[in-house]
Amino acid sequence: MGKIISIANQKGGVGKTTTSINLAASLAALEYKTLLVDADPQANTTSGLGISKKDIKKTVYECMISESLSVDDILSTEINFLDILPSDIDLVGAEVEMVDIDNRDSRMKNCFNTIGENYDYIIIDCSPSLGIVTVNSLVASDSVIIPVQCEYFALEGLGKLLETIRLIQSNLNKELTIEGILMSMYDVRLRLSNQVVEEVQTHFKSLVFDTIIPRNVKLSEAPSFGIPAISYDANCKGSLSYLNLAKELVDNNENVKVSW
């Protein structure tokens, strides 16, 4: 079974989807077999990899409702070693439909049990809300990466997320760990960016990744072409930063090896 990592923060606009797409693509570039799971009903990760609605066989929503997932439901991408389990707006309905379903918090985990051995890493892009789908993502995960933007109110909502993680650790997934806090949207020209980085590093110390993701135009442009930044411009600062993050992640998880 590959390592399952959720990208989560209840605060919107912190770079969750950008991180999910580009971290997964960078792991694939390092030749780790990677599955990217779009667990956000906005489906920006799905469109950000150029997946057309007509090509979608099964979404996260249908997998959770049926509690089943097969290799035939997974879509390959144009990037070697990278597959995707897409999402669409129907995922909004899961919050209501799953209220009275048995084992509602572990349905995503049960789906991954059937396909997890095919991948070295499974990266889950969570929605900004802390609803049933995000809880499912955290229950299914081995760890969580928390993107934090280098801006004012950077720590807003982080306390609530950490509280949620603690509750899940206590009641639903004792093995869940924090993989790391990722500083994103860093602007070297702004004193505020440096102050926020220093504040987060002071509070969370070794939990903060060494890699910092800068503000980068190419990172913003790439999704409109349906490709990750590393395919759009492999030498831009954004691409190189996410590749460094992938290497840091791999170094921290030496036991995760290509096994196929």
Side-chain angles (χ1 to χ4, degrees), residues 138-155:
L138 295 174
V139 170
S141 296
D142 299 302
S143 63
V144 54
I145 291 175
I146 306 171
V148 174
Q149 80 279 30
C150 299
E151 296 178 354
Y152 195 60
F153 293 136
L155 302 182

Side-chain angles (χ1 to χ4, degrees), residues 6 14-15 17-19 33 63 73-76 80 94 100 103 106 125 129 145 169 172 212 239 242 244:
S6 281
V14 298
T17 297
T18 298
T19 294
K33 186 65 174 170
C63 292
D73 300 322
I74 304 297
L75 297 179
S76 58
N80 290 334
D100 297 320
N103 302 317
S106 59
D125 180 23
S129 68
I145 291 175
Q169 288 171 327
L172 298 169
I212 297 176
S239 297
Y242 275 111
N244 286 335

Side-chain angles (χ1 to χ4, degrees), residues 20-30 34 49 79-80 82 228-231:
S20 299
I21 292 174
N22 290 290
L23 174 58
S26 295
L27 288 167
L30 296 175
T34 305
L49 280 181
I79 301 165
N80 290 334
L82 180 61
I230 200 169
S231 298

Side-chain angles (χ1 to χ4, degrees), residues 45-174:
T45 292
T46 300
S47 61
L49 280 181
I51 304 299
S52 171
K53 194 161 188 176
K54 64 181 176 60
D55 296 326
I56 295 176
K57 304 172 185 178
K58 201 169 186 178
T59 67
V60 172
Y61 164 78
E62 289 147 345
C63 292
M64 291 176 64
I65 294 297
S66 66
E67 205 171 6
S68 66
L69 178 64
S70 73
V71 292
D72 294 330
D73 300 322
I74 304 297
L75 297 179
S76 58
T77 71
E78 294 184 0
I79 301 165
N80 290 334
F81 299 99
L82 180 61
D83 294 340
I84 184 170
L85 178 61
S87 178
D88 62 20
I89 195 63
D90 288 345
L91 191 57
V92 172
E95 298 289 338
V96 176
E97 293 181 45
M98 292 179 63
V99 168
D100 297 320
I101 290 180
D102 292 336
N103 302 317
R104 65 178 186 179
D105 295 327
S106 59
R107 297 181 77 85
M108 187 183 294
K109 178 180 180 180
N110 294 337
C111 290
F112 291 159
N113 286 337
T114 60
I115 54 90
E117 63 184 16
N118 297 321
Y119 296 96
D120 298 303
Y121 288 96
I122 298 176
I123 305 296
I124 308 174
D125 180 23
C126 298
S127 72
S129 68
L130 293 177
I132 290 176
V133 178
T134 298
V135 169
N136 262 266
S137 301
L138 295 174
V139 170
S141 296
D142 299 302
S143 63
V144 54
I145 291 175
I146 306 171
V148 174
Q149 80 279 30
C150 299
E151 296 178 354
Y152 195 60
F153 293 136
L155 302 182
E156 185 180 82
L158 185 55
K160 180 64 176 176
L161 176 61
L162 294 174
E163 180 184 337
T164 300
I165 291 172
R166 282 192 290 270
L167 287 172
I168 289 174
Q169 288 171 327
S170 299
N171 301 297
L172 298 169
N173 182 3
K174 290 181 172 58

